[in-house]
Tab-separated table of all heavy atoms in Angstrom:
chain	number	residue	atom	x	y	z
A	810	ALA	N	202.899	-38.399	-90.292
A	810	ALA	CA	201.852	-39.106	-89.541
A	810	ALA	C	202.055	-38.946	-88.036
A	810	ALA	O	201.090	-38.717	-87.290
A	810	ALA	CB	201.841	-40.578	-89.919
A	811	ILE	N	203.293	-39.048	-87.592
A	811	ILE	CA	203.579	-38.891	-86.156
A	811	ILE	C	203.314	-37.448	-85.729
A	811	ILE	O	202.690	-37.194	-84.694
A	811	ILE	CB	205.026	-39.316	-85.843
A	811	ILE	CG1	205.150	-40.844	-85.962
A	811	ILE	CG2	205.450	-38.848	-84.454
A	811	ILE	CD1	206.575	-41.355	-85.877
A	812	GLN	N	203.774	-36.495	-86.535
A	812	GLN	CA	203.585	-35.079	-86.205
A	812	GLN	C	202.106	-34.709	-86.156
A	812	GLN	O	201.673	-33.970	-85.276
A	812	GLN	CB	204.313	-34.230	-87.245
A	812	GLN	CG	204.296	-32.747	-86.972
A	812	GLN	CD	205.078	-31.977	-88.024
A	812	GLN	OE1	205.704	-32.544	-88.909
A	812	GLN	NE2	205.021	-30.668	-87.936
A	813	ALA	N	201.316	-35.235	-87.086
A	813	ALA	CA	199.889	-34.922	-87.130
A	813	ALA	C	199.076	-35.782	-86.174
A	813	ALA	O	197.880	-35.556	-86.007
A	813	ALA	CB	199.364	-35.097	-88.557
A	814	LYS	N	199.721	-36.797	-85.588
A	814	LYS	CA	199.057	-37.705	-84.646
A	814	LYS	C	197.871	-38.418	-85.315
A	814	LYS	O	196.778	-38.503	-84.768
A	814	LYS	CB	198.614	-36.969	-83.392
A	814	LYS	CG	199.777	-36.387	-82.597
A	814	LYS	CD	199.285	-35.550	-81.441
A	814	LYS	CE	200.358	-34.982	-80.575
A	814	LYS	NZ	201.539	-34.444	-81.147
A	815	VAL	N	198.126	-38.933	-86.528
A	815	VAL	CA	197.096	-39.646	-87.283
A	815	VAL	C	197.590	-41.055	-87.613
A	815	VAL	O	198.789	-41.285	-87.741
A	815	VAL	CB	196.731	-38.901	-88.592
A	815	VAL	CG1	196.113	-37.545	-88.278
A	815	VAL	CG2	197.933	-38.757	-89.500
A	816	PRO	N	196.671	-41.987	-87.767
A	816	PRO	CA	197.079	-43.341	-88.138
A	816	PRO	C	197.503	-43.414	-89.607
A	816	PRO	O	197.108	-42.577	-90.417
A	816	PRO	CB	195.827	-44.184	-87.895
A	816	PRO	CG	194.709	-43.218	-88.028
A	816	PRO	CD	195.233	-41.887	-87.550
A	817	ILE	N	198.276	-44.423	-89.906
A	817	ILE	CA	198.661	-44.719	-91.286
A	817	ILE	C	197.713	-45.809	-91.775
A	817	ILE	O	197.557	-46.836	-91.108
A	817	ILE	CB	200.119	-45.203	-91.339
A	817	ILE	CG1	201.052	-44.074	-90.907
A	817	ILE	CG2	200.463	-45.732	-92.736
A	817	ILE	CD1	202.469	-44.522	-90.644
A	818	VAL	N	197.073	-45.589	-92.907
A	818	VAL	CA	196.169	-46.582	-93.478
A	818	VAL	C	196.795	-47.074	-94.787
A	818	VAL	O	196.668	-46.419	-95.824
A	818	VAL	CB	194.761	-46.010	-93.723
A	818	VAL	CG1	193.842	-47.084	-94.293
A	818	VAL	CG2	194.188	-45.417	-92.441
A	819	PRO	N	197.502	-48.211	-94.739
A	819	PRO	CA	198.158	-48.702	-95.955
A	819	PRO	C	197.147	-49.183	-96.992
A	819	PRO	O	196.164	-49.839	-96.656
A	819	PRO	CB	198.999	-49.882	-95.462
A	819	PRO	CG	199.071	-49.737	-93.972
A	819	PRO	CD	197.820	-49.028	-93.573
A	820	ILE	N	197.398	-48.848	-98.245
A	820	ILE	CA	196.575	-49.306	-99.361
A	820	ILE	C	197.506	-50.005	-100.346
A	820	ILE	O	198.527	-49.450	-100.745
A	820	ILE	CB	195.852	-48.128	-100.048
A	820	ILE	CG1	194.970	-47.397	-99.023
A	820	ILE	CG2	195.041	-48.619	-101.237
A	820	ILE	CD1	194.338	-46.127	-99.546
A	821	ILE	N	197.135	-51.226	-100.720
A	821	ILE	CA	197.979	-52.055	-101.576
A	821	ILE	C	197.261	-52.343	-102.886
A	821	ILE	O	196.083	-52.694	-102.890
A	821	ILE	CB	198.277	-53.414	-100.896
A	821	ILE	CG1	198.921	-53.218	-99.530
A	821	ILE	CG2	199.128	-54.306	-101.778
A	821	ILE	CD1	200.283	-52.609	-99.586
A	822	ALA	N	197.972	-52.223	-103.995
A	822	ALA	CA	197.484	-52.672	-105.304
A	822	ALA	C	198.351	-53.853	-105.720
A	822	ALA	O	199.577	-53.815	-105.561
A	822	ALA	CB	197.597	-51.559	-106.336
A	823	ALA	N	197.718	-54.903	-106.234
A	823	ALA	CA	198.470	-56.073	-106.696
A	823	ALA	C	199.452	-55.646	-107.782
A	823	ALA	O	199.235	-54.660	-108.487
A	823	ALA	CB	197.511	-57.135	-107.234
A	824	ASN	N	200.542	-56.388	-107.918
A	824	ASN	CA	201.500	-56.122	-108.977
A	824	ASN	C	200.780	-56.221	-110.320
A	824	ASN	O	200.079	-57.188	-110.584
A	824	ASN	CB	202.655	-57.123	-108.907
A	824	ASN	CG	203.677	-56.871	-109.992
A	824	ASN	OD1	203.514	-57.346	-111.092
A	824	ASN	ND2	204.706	-56.119	-109.672
A	825	TYR	N	200.933	-55.213	-111.148
A	825	TYR	CA	200.202	-55.158	-112.412
A	825	TYR	C	201.124	-55.041	-113.615
A	825	TYR	O	200.736	-54.567	-114.681
A	825	TYR	CB	199.201	-54.002	-112.395
A	825	TYR	CG	199.815	-52.666	-112.029
A	825	TYR	CD1	200.415	-51.876	-113.000
A	825	TYR	CD2	199.793	-52.211	-110.717
A	825	TYR	CE1	200.987	-50.660	-112.669
A	825	TYR	CE2	200.357	-51.000	-110.379
A	825	TYR	CZ	200.954	-50.221	-111.358
A	825	TYR	OH	201.516	-49.028	-111.032
A	826	SER	N	202.353	-55.518	-113.469
A	826	SER	CA	203.337	-55.358	-114.546
A	826	SER	C	202.938	-56.052	-115.835
A	826	SER	O	203.398	-55.676	-116.906
A	826	SER	CB	204.699	-55.858	-114.090
A	826	SER	OG	204.647	-57.240	-113.795
Side-chain angles (χ1 to χ4, degrees):
I811 289 171
Q812 185 178 355
K814 297 174 178 41
V815 296
I817 295 168
V818 181
I820 301 173
I821 304 294
N824 180 275
Y825 53 85
S826 63

